[in-house]
Amino acid sequence: MVELGKLILTRHPSFSITILTTTTSFNTGSTALYLRRVSSTTPFHHLPLIPLDPASFPSTEAITFELLRLNTPHVRRSLLSLSLSTTTTITAFIIDLFCSPALPLGSELNIPTYYFFTSGAGCLDCFLYLPTIHQNINQSFKDLNTDLHFPNLPPIPAADMPRPML
Protein backbone atom coordinates (compact mmCIF):
# COMPACT_ATOMS: atom_id res chain seq x y z
CA MET A 1 0.00 0.00 0.00
CA VAL A 2 2.79 2.40 0.87
CA GLU A 3 4.51 1.75 -2.44
CA LEU A 4 1.22 2.22 -4.31
CA GLY A 5 0.71 5.52 -2.49
CA LYS A 6 4.21 6.65 -3.43
CA LEU A 7 3.58 5.69 -7.06
CA ILE A 8 0.31 7.65 -7.13
CA LEU A 9 2.13 10.70 -5.74
CA THR A 10 4.82 10.53 -8.42
CA ARG A 11 2.11 10.67 -11.09
CA HIS A 12 -0.18 13.12 -9.24
CA PRO A 13 1.95 15.26 -6.91
CA SER A 14 -1.02 17.45 -5.96
CA PHE A 15 -2.69 14.48 -4.26
CA SER A 16 -2.13 13.62 -0.63
CA ILE A 17 -2.02 10.10 0.73
CA THR A 18 -2.77 8.93 4.25
CA ILE A 19 -2.00 5.33 5.17
CA LEU A 20 -4.12 3.81 7.92
CA THR A 21 -2.04 1.25 9.77
CA THR A 22 -2.69 -1.08 12.64
CA THR A 23 -0.77 -1.10 15.87
CA THR A 24 0.02 -4.65 16.95
CA SER A 25 0.91 -6.28 20.22
CA PHE A 26 2.88 -8.98 18.37
CA ASN A 27 5.96 -9.09 16.17
CA THR A 28 5.17 -8.35 12.53
CA GLY A 29 8.68 -9.13 11.34
CA SER A 30 10.09 -7.07 8.50
CA THR A 31 6.85 -5.09 8.12
CA ALA A 32 7.54 -3.15 11.33
CA LEU A 33 11.07 -2.26 10.18
CA TYR A 34 9.79 -1.12 6.80
CA LEU A 35 7.04 1.04 8.32
CA ARG A 36 9.50 2.69 10.70
CA ARG A 37 11.79 3.46 7.77
CA VAL A 38 9.12 5.00 5.53
CA SER A 39 7.13 6.77 8.26
CA SER A 40 9.37 9.83 8.04
CA THR A 41 8.25 10.48 4.45
CA THR A 42 4.76 8.96 4.36
CA PRO A 43 1.82 10.18 6.45
CA PHE A 44 0.52 7.36 8.63
CA HIS A 45 -2.57 7.33 10.78
CA HIS A 46 -2.06 4.68 13.46
CA LEU A 47 -5.19 2.87 14.56
CA PRO A 48 -5.53 2.08 18.28
CA LEU A 49 -3.88 -1.00 19.72
CA ILE A 50 -6.13 -4.05 19.96
CA PRO A 51 -4.27 -6.56 22.13
CA LEU A 52 -4.46 -10.09 20.76
CA ASP A 53 -2.57 -13.17 21.90
CA PRO A 54 -0.78 -14.72 18.91
CA ALA A 55 -0.74 -18.11 20.68
CA SER A 56 -4.54 -18.28 20.39
CA PHE A 57 -4.43 -18.13 16.57
CA PRO A 58 -3.38 -20.92 14.18
CA SER A 59 -1.30 -18.64 11.94
CA THR A 60 0.05 -15.13 11.39
CA GLU A 61 -2.53 -14.66 8.65
CA ALA A 62 -5.39 -15.61 10.98
CA ILE A 63 -4.39 -13.09 13.66
CA THR A 64 -3.86 -10.43 10.99
CA PHE A 65 -7.33 -10.98 9.51
CA GLU A 66 -8.87 -10.86 12.98
CA LEU A 67 -6.99 -7.71 13.93
CA LEU A 68 -8.15 -5.94 10.80
CA ARG A 69 -11.73 -7.13 11.28
CA LEU A 70 -11.70 -5.74 14.83
CA ASN A 71 -10.24 -2.47 13.55
CA THR A 72 -13.15 -1.77 11.18
CA PRO A 73 -14.87 0.65 13.62
CA HIS A 74 -11.56 2.51 14.04
CA VAL A 75 -11.14 2.74 10.27
CA ARG A 76 -14.66 4.15 10.02
CA ARG A 77 -13.90 6.80 12.66
CA SER A 78 -10.63 7.67 10.94
CA LEU A 79 -12.31 8.08 7.55
CA LEU A 80 -15.03 10.23 9.11
CA SER A 81 -12.45 12.35 10.89
CA LEU A 82 -10.42 12.83 7.71
CA SER A 83 -13.52 13.63 5.64
CA LEU A 84 -14.74 16.22 8.16
CA SER A 85 -11.45 18.09 7.97
CA THR A 86 -11.75 21.43 6.19
CA THR A 87 -8.49 20.78 4.34
CA THR A 88 -9.11 17.19 3.24
CA THR A 89 -11.47 15.63 0.74
CA ILE A 90 -11.25 11.87 0.48
CA THR A 91 -11.48 11.04 -3.21
CA ALA A 92 -10.63 7.35 -2.89
CA PHE A 93 -10.30 4.61 -0.31
CA ILE A 94 -7.91 1.86 -1.39
CA ILE A 95 -7.88 -1.42 0.52
CA ASP A 96 -6.12 -4.74 0.07
CA LEU A 97 -6.95 -8.37 0.72
CA PHE A 98 -6.39 -8.13 4.45
CA CYS A 99 -8.70 -5.11 4.74
CA SER A 100 -11.77 -6.77 3.22
CA PRO A 101 -13.87 -6.12 6.36
CA ALA A 102 -13.53 -2.37 5.62
CA LEU A 103 -15.01 -2.70 2.12
CA PRO A 104 -18.59 -1.72 3.11
CA LEU A 105 -17.29 1.50 4.72
CA GLY A 106 -16.71 3.10 1.33
CA SER A 107 -20.35 2.70 0.35
CA GLU A 108 -21.56 3.74 3.78
CA LEU A 109 -19.47 6.94 3.71
CA ASN A 110 -19.95 7.56 -0.03
CA ILE A 111 -16.23 7.23 -0.76
CA PRO A 112 -15.19 5.44 -3.97
CA THR A 113 -13.40 2.30 -2.84
CA TYR A 114 -10.82 0.36 -4.78
CA TYR A 115 -9.50 -3.10 -4.05
CA PHE A 116 -5.73 -3.37 -4.60
CA PHE A 117 -4.90 -7.02 -5.21
CA THR A 118 -1.30 -7.94 -5.93
CA SER A 119 -1.70 -11.65 -6.61
CA GLY A 120 -2.72 -13.35 -9.84
CA ALA A 121 -6.19 -13.46 -11.35
CA GLY A 122 -6.70 -17.10 -10.33
CA CYS A 123 -6.14 -16.25 -6.69
CA LEU A 124 -8.53 -13.30 -6.96
CA ASP A 125 -11.11 -15.59 -8.57
CA CYS A 126 -10.84 -17.93 -5.58
CA PHE A 127 -11.20 -15.15 -3.01
CA LEU A 128 -14.17 -13.57 -4.76
CA TYR A 129 -15.94 -16.93 -5.00
CA LEU A 130 -15.26 -18.00 -1.38
CA PRO A 131 -18.53 -16.52 -0.03
CA THR A 132 -20.46 -18.74 -2.47
CA ILE A 133 -18.49 -21.80 -1.43
CA HIS A 134 -19.00 -20.87 2.23
CA GLN A 135 -22.79 -20.80 1.66
CA ASN A 136 -22.77 -24.22 0.00
CA ILE A 137 -20.33 -26.12 2.21
CA ASN A 138 -20.80 -26.50 5.94
CA GLN A 139 -17.44 -28.12 6.71
CA SER A 140 -13.90 -26.80 7.01
CA PHE A 141 -11.78 -27.28 3.92
CA LYS A 142 -9.41 -29.42 6.00
CA ASP A 143 -12.26 -31.88 6.62
CA LEU A 144 -13.27 -32.16 2.96
CA ASN A 145 -11.99 -34.96 0.80
CA THR A 146 -13.13 -33.38 -2.44
CA ASP A 147 -12.24 -30.81 -5.05
CA LEU A 148 -13.40 -27.21 -4.86
CA HIS A 149 -14.84 -25.79 -8.05
CA PHE A 150 -14.18 -22.12 -8.81
CA PRO A 151 -15.36 -20.40 -12.00
CA ASN A 152 -12.71 -20.29 -14.75
CA LEU A 153 -10.25 -22.47 -12.82
CA PRO A 154 -9.48 -26.17 -12.76
CA PRO A 155 -10.75 -28.00 -9.65
CA ILE A 156 -8.60 -27.49 -6.57
CA PRO A 157 -8.37 -30.19 -3.89
CA ALA A 158 -9.74 -28.68 -0.68
CA ALA A 159 -6.65 -29.86 1.21
CA ASP A 160 -4.48 -27.76 -1.14
CA MET A 161 -6.00 -24.46 -0.03
CA PRO A 162 -3.64 -22.17 1.91
CA ARG A 163 -3.21 -23.21 5.54
CA PRO A 164 -5.10 -20.23 7.06
CA MET A 165 -8.09 -21.09 4.88
CA LEU A 166 -8.18 -24.68 6.03
Side-chain angles (χ1 to χ4, degrees), residues 78-143:
S78 297
L79 291 172
L80 278 172
S81 175
L82 287 168
S83 66
L84 294 175
S85 165
T86 57
T87 60
T88 304
T89 300
I90 300 176
T91 56
F93 180 41
I94 303 172
I95 63 172
D96 66 7
L97 167 69
F98 287 97
C99 299
S100 294
L103 184 61
L105 296 177
S107 294
E108 177 189 332
L109 301 173
N110 203 26
I111 301 169
T113 303
Y114 300 91
Y115 204 92
F116 180 59
F117 195 79
T118 58
S119 293
C123 186
L124 178 59
D125 185 51
C126 287
F127 279 110
L128 292 175
Y129 198 69
L130 279 174
T132 301
I133 288 184
H134 181 68
Q135 288 175 351
N136 296 322
I137 296 175
N138 56 7
Q139 288 180 282
S140 293
F141 289 158
K142 66 180 167 102
D143 299 327

Side-chain angles (χ1 to χ4, degrees), residues 9-146:
L9 288 176
T10 62
R11 298 224 162 93
H12 302 281
S14 64
F15 285 11
S16 64
I17 304 287
T18 301
I19 306 286
L20 303 180
T21 187
T22 58
T23 305
T24 63
S25 57
F26 55 92
N27 182 356
T28 59
S30 62
T31 302
L33 296 171
Y34 171 79
L35 291 177
R36 269 196 301 276
R37 185 172 49 87
V38 299
S39 65
S40 63
T41 59
T42 307
F44 282 90
H45 176 83
H46 295 274
L47 300 172
L49 174 67
I50 298 175
L52 295 175
D53 176 16
S56 63
F57 291 86
S59 67
T60 302
E61 296 85 359
I63 192 171
T64 301
F65 276 113
E66 181 63 6
L67 178 65
L68 293 168
R69 185 188 68 75
L70 293 171
N71 259 309
T72 301
H74 301 297
V75 172
R76 184 182 188 284
R77 277 193 289 283
S78 297
L79 291 172
L80 278 172
S81 175
L82 287 168
S83 66
L84 294 175
S85 165
T86 57
T87 60
T88 304
T89 300
I90 300 176
T91 56
F93 180 41
I94 303 172
I95 63 172
D96 66 7
L97 167 69
F98 287 97
C99 299
S100 294
L103 184 61
L105 296 177
S107 294
E108 177 189 332
L109 301 173
N110 203 26
I111 301 169
T113 303
Y114 300 91
Y115 204 92
F116 180 59
F117 195 79
T118 58
S119 293
C123 186
L124 178 59
D125 185 51
C126 287
F127 279 110
L128 292 175
Y129 198 69
L130 279 174
T132 301
I133 288 184
H134 181 68
Q135 288 175 351
N136 296 322
I137 296 175
N138 56 7
Q139 288 180 282
S140 293
F141 289 158
K142 66 180 167 102
D143 299 327
L144 292 175
N145 189 20
T146 187

